[in-house]
Amino acid sequence: MNQIIQRNRTMGFLLVILGASFWGIGGTVAQRLFQQDDIEVGWLVSSRLLLAGLLLLAIYKITYRHDSIFVIWRTKQNAFKQILFSLLGMLAVQYTYMMSIAIGNSAVATLLQYLAPLFIMAYFLLTRQNPLTKQDGIAVTLTLVGTFLLLTNGSVSTLSVPFMAVLWGVLSGLSVAFYTLYAIPLLQQFHSLLVVGWSMIIGGAVMSIFHPPWAIDVSNWTFSTVAYFLFIIIFGTMLAFWFYIASLHYLSPKESSLLGSLEPLMAVITSVWWLKITFGGYQFIGTLLILLMILYLTVFQKKQVEA
C-alpha cells in the first residue's frame, strides 16, 4: 500500500512540475515569436485560445464519452457566469500577460502575474472576510521590495522595463485574481476541463472578431516558427493546464500550488539563458524575493489547513 501511495505521489510531483515548467517556458517562447517572427499579440491570443480550448473539450469527451460537453449551457444563470468568466477571466489573463511579454519580457511578465495572491488577499481584507495578520504583512513587504528591485534594478531614476509592460503585467495579476476567485462556483458544479475549455473557446471567439486566426500571412514562416507556435498551443497552454489538473488526483491543492511557483522561475531561467535577457544583480534579488513570497504564502496556507 505504501508503495502505491509513493508511486502516486511521484506521478503527481512529475505532472505538476511539467505543467508549471511548460507554462513558464511557453511565455519565453511567445516572446521569441513576438520579437523575431513579428507575430502579433492579438492573433496569437485568439489562435492559442481557440485551438487549446477545442483540444481540452476533445480530451473531456474522450475521457467521459457519455457526458455532454454542453451541460454548462442548460441554464441562463450558468451560461452568464461562464461567459463572464471567459471574458474577464480567461481572455483578460491571456491578453494582458501576452501584452506584457511583447512590450517587456516573459520573466518580468510572469513575476508580475504572480502578484495575484496579494490581490486576492486585498479582496478578502476589503470584504472583511479575513483580518490582516503578521504573515500578510511579511508577504506584502517581500512583494513590494522584490517588485521595486525587479522593475528598477535598484535605481529610482528609471524603470528597467517599459512602463506599459509593468502596467499590463499588473493587470495580468489582477485578472488571475479574478479568474481564481470567480471560478470557484463554476468548478463546484462542472468539471474543470469543461469550464476552462469553454472559456478558452469563448475568449478566442471574441478575440477573433478583432484578430481573425485565418488573417495571417504564413508565407515567411520558418520551420522554427511553426514549431514554436505548436509548442505554445500544445505544451504552453493545453498540457500546462491538463498536467496541473491531473496532479490534483495525487497531491493536495496546496502541494500543487507550491510546486506551481516553478512557473516564474522557469520564465526567468529561459529568458536569461535562451533569449539573453539582461538581468542586473538587484533584479535577481528582486526575483528571489518574489519567489520567496510565493513559497511563503503557499507554505503558510498549507500549515493553516493542516492545523
Side-chain angles (χ1 to χ4, degrees):
M1 181 65 69
N2 288 336
Q3 289 182 344
I4 295 175
I5 293 174
Q6 185 59 44
R7 200 159 47 236
N8 287 342
R9 287 182 59 80
T10 300
M11 176 61 72
F13 282 123
L14 178 62
L15 287 170
V16 72
I17 289 172
L18 284 174
S21 298
F22 286 157
W23 176 255
I25 297 171
T28 306
V29 174
Q31 183 180 345
R32 162 63 168 74
L33 289 178
F34 295 148
Q35 294 180 347
Q36 299 187 31
D37 293 286
D38 202 27
I39 299 296
E40 202 274 325
V41 173
W43 181 87
L44 182 61
V45 171
S46 61
S47 303
R48 174 185 189 173
L49 287 176
L50 283 174
L51 291 174
L54 289 171
L55 287 172
L56 286 174
L57 290 185
I59 291 171
Y60 178 84
K61 192 60 181 176
I62 293 171
T63 307
Y64 305 96
R65 292 193 300 272
H66 302 295
D67 295 341
S68 171
I69 62 173
F70 301 102
V71 63
I72 290 178
W73 307 105
R74 289 178 180 172
T75 67
K76 291 182 180 179
Q77 183 180 21
N78 288 331
F80 176 78
K81 290 179 180 179
Q82 179 65 43
I83 292 173
L84 192 63
F85 174 72
S86 302
L87 300 180
L88 299 184
M90 177 61 72
L91 179 57
V93 167
Q94 296 283 342
Y95 187 73
T96 55
Y97 177 61
M98 288 296 163
M99 283 297 293
S100 184
I101 290 175
I103 300 173
N105 61 67
S106 62
V108 171
T110 308
L111 286 162
L112 288 175
Q113 190 179 66
Y114 263 74
L115 295 177
L118 289 185
F119 296 136
I120 293 173
M121 185 191 306
Y123 169 78
F124 285 132
L125 287 173
L126 291 173
T127 56
R128 298 183 179 180
Q129 297 184 43
N130 289 105
L132 184 65
T133 65
K134 180 178 70 175
Q135 288 74 22
D136 295 335
I138 293 173
V140 169
T141 301
L142 286 172
T143 302
L144 291 178
V145 175
T147 303
F148 172 80
L149 294 176
L150 173 69
L151 300 179
T152 65
N153 197 28
S155 173
V156 295
S157 60
T158 182
L159 288 173
S160 58
V161 293
F163 171 76
M164 289 306 297
V166 177
L167 179 60
W168 283 114
V170 172
L171 289 175
S172 178
L174 284 168
S175 300
V176 170
F178 174 84
Y179 177 96
T180 303
L181 293 169
Y182 197 80
I184 295 173
L186 285 169
L187 294 175
Q188 288 174 343
Q189 298 183 68
F190 308 106
H191 196 285
S192 56
L193 284 173
L194 281 181
V195 174
V196 177
W198 276 115
S199 68
M200 287 183 174
I201 290 176
I202 294 170
V206 171
M207 201 68 186
S208 296
I209 298 174
F210 309 98
H211 302 277
W214 54 88
I216 186 172
D217 180 14
V218 297
S219 60
N220 61 341
W221 278 30
T222 63
F223 175 80
S224 62
T225 306
V226 176
Y228 294 147
F229 175 68
L230 292 177
F231 180 91
I232 290 173
I233 299 298
I234 297 172
F235 292 93
T237 306
M238 187 194 76
L239 290 182
F241 167 77
W242 187 19
F243 284 0
Y244 181 83
I245 293 300
S247 74
L248 296 175
H249 291 295
Y250 309 104
L251 304 174
S252 71
K254 299 302 178 183
E255 288 174 317
S256 292
S257 64
L258 173 61
L259 290 169
S261 62
L262 283 171
E263 293 174 16
L265 182 60
M266 290 302 297
V268 170
I269 291 173
T270 52
S271 294
V272 174
W273 174 70
W274 184 39
L275 297 183
K276 310 303 180 184
I277 299 299
T278 302
F279 258 54
Y282 286 110
Q283 287 180 292
F284 272 111
I285 295 173
T287 298
L288 291 175
L289 289 176
I290 292 176
L291 290 173
L292 182 60
M293 179 275 295
I294 297 167
L295 294 174
Y296 177 78
L297 281 180
T298 50
V299 169
F300 175 68
Q301 289 170 354
K302 182 175 186 291
K303 288 181 178 179
Q304 281 189 316
V305 171
E306 291 175 347

